[in-house]
């Protein structure tokens, strides 16, 4: 079968029990990462999550060495997860301690912890390669993720861990949301801001350690950050952002793991991150709220409104129009002829534009302190801002046209 056919079979859970379990586990991991990452993103703590992910490496290496020394299998996934969790927790506490007890800023503390822990992890991996058991350790799979040869028990562990993380996101969403937006107000309501912050980062830690086998410690931070950034293009509401972020993370995890199962020589972690980036790129381009295409269309509409308004005012004042875009817009709307002379419809529209401008000038002169009139932008008709009675009152103050 072709890779596309294998990919379809993996998506529909027909590629074998283990592949299906990995895909489901990666989907749950993506949902948890997207949900937890939404709070990390809103709290502006993305760099802390980066430090957590890099701090797991020495824990993985030390756990491997300890398990080998006691006569066990150094590649036992639960032991490696425990080691990475302890190491990441230590890194998180060091960042918190350095930020609170020293004059270092959070970015400097994160940089110190990230570099030192990751450097220590690389040294320990080098030591492991000199061990007789280390030559076949396969710990490099924890750097970029790997599901090839994953045991059923490991897949079940990851799936259960992902489901637990999803449940914690649901349970802690309210206090974490309040702390993410307004920690001072949250404190007045009795919420322990420091503990909530630690719970938020602890949730990111859980996602990190259960995602090591699938995504890898280098790329798991991308699964925490890309989905909420993607969701931000589509909504301004927190509850929707969390749901969209979780959905984007779950979709990227599920489809990425399925594609990795179909293309067996492709590392799982980078594929999942690339699928997450594809969703981000589509949102960046197509989102009606903040997408590039929608922004370009809004800018074009605004530009046309400005040129139309200025063109009508120029017609009303009898001024020559030289701007090509203005002329093109007026001709397209049937407001001027090919020779630049206003049509009947153009003369009427020009008169209405001049009257509207005169009304605005009168209103702003008489009611300079009225906050309603701050909406004046030179484009909005005054009858969309003031009531009919107010507009009629303005008209009564305007000079009457001379009778001929």
């Amino acid at each position: 079968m072709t890779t596309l056919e294998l990919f379809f079979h993996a998506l529909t859970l027909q590629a074998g029990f283990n592949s299906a379990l990995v895909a489901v586990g990666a989907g749950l991991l993506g949902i948890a990462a997207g949900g937890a990452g939404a709070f990390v993103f809103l709290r502006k703590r993305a760099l802390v999550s980066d430090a957590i992910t890099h701090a797991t490496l020495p824990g993985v290496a030390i756990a491997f060495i300890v398990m080998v020394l006691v006569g066990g299998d150094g590649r036992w996934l639960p032991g490696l997860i425990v080691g990475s969790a302890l190491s990441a927790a230590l890194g998180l506490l060091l960042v918190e301690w350095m930020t609170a007890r020293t004059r270092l800023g959070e970015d400097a503390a994160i940089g110190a912890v990230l570099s030192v822990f990751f450097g220590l992890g690389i040294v320990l991996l080098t030591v492991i390669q000199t061990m007789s058991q280390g030559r076949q350790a396969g710990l490099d799979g924890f750097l970029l993720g790997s599901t090839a040869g994953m045991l059923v028990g490991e897949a079940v562990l990851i799936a259960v861990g992902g489901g637990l993380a999803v449940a914690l996101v649901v349970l802690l969403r309210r206090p974490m949301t309040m702390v993410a937006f307004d920690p001072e107000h949250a404190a007045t309501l009795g919420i322990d801001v420091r503990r909530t912050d630690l719970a938020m980062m602890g949730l990111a830690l859980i996602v990190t350690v259960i995602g090591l086998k699938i995504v890898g410690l280098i790329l798991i931070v991308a699964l925490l950050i890309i989905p909420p950034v993607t969701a931000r293009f589509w909504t301004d509401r927190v509850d929707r952002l969390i749901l969209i972020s979780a959905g984007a993370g779950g979709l990227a995890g599920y489809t990425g793991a399925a594609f990795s199962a179909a293309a067996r020589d492709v590392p799982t972690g980078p594929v999942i991150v690339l699928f997450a980036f594809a969703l981000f790129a589509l949102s960046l381009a197509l989102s009606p709220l903040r997408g590039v295409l929608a922004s370009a269309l809004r800018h074009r509409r605004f530009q046309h409104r400005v040129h139309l308004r200025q063109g009508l005012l120029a017609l009303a004042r009898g001024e020559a129009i030289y701007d090509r875009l203005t002329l093109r817009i007026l001709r397209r709307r049937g407001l001027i002829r090919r020779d630049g002379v206003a049509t009947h419809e153009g003369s009427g529209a020009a008169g209405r534009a001049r009257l509207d401008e005169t009304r605005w000038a009168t209103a702003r002169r008489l009611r300079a302190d009225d906050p309603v009139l701050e909406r004046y932008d030179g484009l909005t008709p005054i009858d969309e801002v003031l009531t009919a009675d107010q507009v009629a009152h303005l008209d009564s103050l305007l000079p009457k046209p001379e009778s001929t």
Side-chain angles (χ1 to χ4, degrees), residues 68-371:
V68 168
L69 292 178
V70 299
D73 184 1
R75 289 168 292 183
W76 187 50
L77 186 59
L80 295 175
I81 286 180
V82 171
S84 63
L86 292 175
S87 177
L90 178 61
L92 174 60
L93 292 176
L94 277 176
V95 170
E96 293 287 334
W97 181 84
M98 292 172 68
T99 304
R101 300 298 180 87
T102 69
R103 294 184 178 181
L104 289 177
E106 188 177 64
D107 55 343
I110 290 170
V113 170
L114 184 154
S115 56
V116 170
F117 273 66
F118 193 70
L120 176 60
I122 296 297
V123 170
L124 291 174
L125 287 181
T126 305
V127 172
I128 288 174
Q129 293 304 311
T130 65
M131 302 169 58
S132 59
Q133 299 91 338
R135 297 185 186 277
Q136 295 83 30
L139 294 183
D140 55 337
F142 284 88
L143 296 178
L144 297 176
S146 174
T147 57
M150 183 183 291
L151 302 176
V152 173
E154 295 175 344
V156 170
L157 178 63
I158 293 171
V160 171
L164 176 62
V166 172
L168 290 175
V169 169
V170 174
L171 289 174
L172 299 175
R173 69 187 186 282
R174 188 173 183 275
M176 289 194 300
T177 300
M178 298 184 69
V179 170
F181 272 97
D182 195 342
E184 290 79 13
H185 178 64
T188 62
L189 297 178
I191 297 175
D192 191 320
V193 175
R194 184 174 182 276
R195 288 186 178 180
T196 304
D197 265 336
L198 288 176
M200 192 184 302
M201 301 316 301
L203 194 56
L205 188 152
I206 293 174
V207 171
T208 298
V209 297
I210 64 175
L212 287 179
K213 185 68 175 177
I214 294 181
V215 184
L217 65 89
I218 294 179
L219 297 174
I220 187 64
V221 67
L223 204 55
L224 284 165
I225 300 304
I226 294 179
V229 174
T230 300
R232 190 67 180 90
F233 283 108
W234 297 95
T235 184
D236 290 321
R237 293 175 59 91
V238 178
D239 51 349
R240 294 177 184 173
L241 185 141
I242 297 170
L243 288 175
I244 296 173
S245 177
L251 181 61
Y254 182 79
T255 54
F259 186 84
S260 179
R264 300 187 184 279
D265 294 332
V266 178
T268 310
V271 172
I272 291 176
V273 172
L274 287 176
F275 271 90
F277 176 77
L279 293 175
F280 165 79
L282 287 173
S283 300
L284 174 64
L286 303 178
S287 166
L289 190 63
R290 293 184 176 83
V292 173
L293 182 60
S295 297
L297 291 175
R298 283 194 296 270
H299 174 73
R300 183 177 176 82
R301 285 194 294 267
F302 177 77
Q303 185 183 41
H304 280 214
R305 289 179 64 198
V306 171
H307 280 264
L308 176 61
R309 179 79 169 190
Q310 295 304 314
L312 290 175
L313 290 176
L315 289 178
R317 296 168 186 150
E319 300 171 351
I321 302 173
Y322 300 102
D323 185 80
R324 293 182 180 180
L325 178 59
T326 305
L327 291 171
R328 188 162 62 249
I329 293 172
L330 292 174
R331 289 194 189 107
R332 187 181 305 155
R333 291 173 177 261
L335 301 177
I336 59 173
R337 301 193 311 234
R338 297 292 299 177
D339 58 2
V341 177
T343 63
H344 179 71
E345 292 81 3
S347 298
R352 289 190 295 272
R354 184 169 189 173
L355 175 61
D356 186 71
E357 196 73 14
T358 305
R359 286 170 172 172
W360 270 113
T362 305
R364 294 169 66 209
R365 184 178 69 253
L366 298 177
R367 304 166 59 181
D369 298 330
D370 192 339

